[in-house]
Amino acid sequence: MPIMAIDDVSIAYTDTGVPPGRPDAATIVFGHGLLFGGWMFGPQIEALREHYRCVSIDWRGQGDTPATADGYDMDTLADDALAMIRALNLERVHWVGLSMGGFVGLRLAARHGALLRSLTLLDTSAGPEEAAKIGEYKRLARALRWFGVRPIRGLIAPHLFGPSMRADRSRKPVLDEWAARLARCDRAGVRRAVLGVADRESVEDEIATIAMPTLVAVGADDRATPPDRSRRIADLIPGAQCHLIPDCGHTSTLEQPAAVTAMLTRFLHSVDLDEFV
């Protein structure tokens, strides 16, 4: 995976490059959810790379990006994403963010809207973490730091994956891959990433200014950021679409990959079509 230096911080990313024969293809940038990496968009990137340049970023201490001593707050991560977009000379990208990637996407769209042509927000929130969950998340962060993912996998998985996914034995390899990838990350970095999410500030007072086409979607069984959080975003962003994904928890790109890919493809096509009409 390529690594770029952003203000002396190493950031891992993937880049499929411009599709053959499509020099004017738009770029999609993917921002992953907490405890994952850009790999969680694998099904979508595989389907869309024929028509779009697809770039994903790994947040600090997750995926293949090394841990840092600080900088895990959402504003700093938004600055990391902004610097990557500029370093790759990307013009007016489609942003697709899930959960943590949505927290970042909302900040980019509200503060640097000229760089985005559309915004897709999956299983995310514009508000702060629910007070009742902050203590639990911080306890899990401490346990991850000291014991790793294996002993507490059963406590973490229900926050990330819906009941249908966890009950389907044919989907076990996906859960095993998630746990194995997480286990390879620096434990201190993972803990800091969880704390960055738990302590994030609200951007609800900023997002009414977002003017680009916006798609909001959430799993019907999402425990981490329940559907009312997505409906709140759609109410605040003028013209935003809001979709509920059945039989799906928090990690929609892996739980319902075909449905998410189809929805995303339709949305991006409609945005690109409108721009050229």
Side-chain angles (χ1 to χ4, degrees):
M1 179 177 282
I3 299 283
M4 70 167 57
I6 296 175
D7 295 330
D8 297 323
V9 173
S10 296
I11 301 292
Y13 68 100
T14 66
D15 184 355
T16 63
V18 178
R22 300 180 64 91
D24 297 325
T27 299
I28 310 170
V29 179
F30 296 87
H32 67 83
L34 179 65
L35 306 183
F36 283 89
W39 70 273
M40 75 180 313
F41 296 103
Q44 291 72 45
I45 291 175
E46 187 60 31
L48 292 165
R49 62 184 300 171
E50 182 179 349
H51 301 286
Y52 296 90
R53 180 179 180 180
C54 296
V55 175
S56 70
I57 183 171
D58 284 357
W59 307 124
R60 299 181 185 212
Q62 299 175 84
D64 288 324
T65 291
T68 56
D70 54 19
Y72 293 84
D73 60 284
M74 298 306 109
D75 288 351
T76 302
L77 297 184
D79 289 342
D80 287 347
L82 180 64
M84 184 197 72
I85 290 170
R86 288 175 170 164
L88 294 176
N89 295 314
L90 304 179
E91 297 181 2
R92 297 194 63 237
V93 304
H94 296 289
W95 180 270
V96 178
L98 189 148
S99 190
M100 194 174 188
F103 306 154
V104 171
L106 284 163
R107 287 160 172 77
L108 289 175
R111 301 168 188 173
H112 305 281
L115 290 178
L116 273 59
R117 67 172 65 193
S118 78
L119 177 64
T120 296
L121 302 165
L122 304 172
D123 305 282
T124 194
S125 170
E129 190 52 70
E130 296 177 31
K133 292 180 180 178
I134 292 176
E136 180 183 5
Y137 288 172
K138 290 188 174 182
R139 288 190 294 273
L140 287 173
R142 190 180 307 115
L144 278 168
R145 170 68 178 89
W146 290 109
F147 306 113
V149 64
R150 181 173 295 178
I152 59 171
R153 172 174 168 168
L155 297 176
I156 301 173
H159 292 283
L160 300 179
F161 302 99
S164 295
M165 176 81 165
R166 288 181 284 116
D168 186 347
R169 293 188 61 82
S170 71
R171 310 301 305 282
K172 186 175 181 295
V174 178
L175 276 73
D176 290 345
E177 181 177 6
W178 158 71
R181 286 178 179 265
L182 181 58
R184 294 197 292 267
C185 295
D186 180 273
R187 292 182 185 178
V190 171
R191 174 179 175 272
R192 293 182 190 120
V194 175
L195 296 180
V197 165
D199 292 333
R200 71 184 185 276
E201 296 182 356
S202 173
V203 290
E204 287 190 344
D205 60 345
E206 296 185 55
I207 66 174
T209 64
I210 293 175
M212 74 279 298
T214 301
L215 170 67
V216 185
V218 60
D221 304 317
D222 189 338
R223 256 179 71 175
T225 51
D228 64 294
R229 290 295 186 103
S230 288
R231 286 191 284 266
R232 173 68 173 162
I233 294 172
D235 287 342
L236 291 172
I237 298 178
Q241 306 175 27
C242 191
H243 297 272
L244 193 68
I245 307 170
D247 296 317
C248 186
H250 187 61
T251 312
S252 55
T253 58
L254 296 175
E255 296 187 52
Q256 293 291 347
V260 171
T261 300
M263 178 178 60
L264 185 55
T265 300
R266 289 192 300 269
F267 173 66
L268 296 176
H269 179 71
S270 70
V271 172
D272 291 339
L273 193 63
D274 285 345
E275 287 197 349
F276 290 101
V277 170

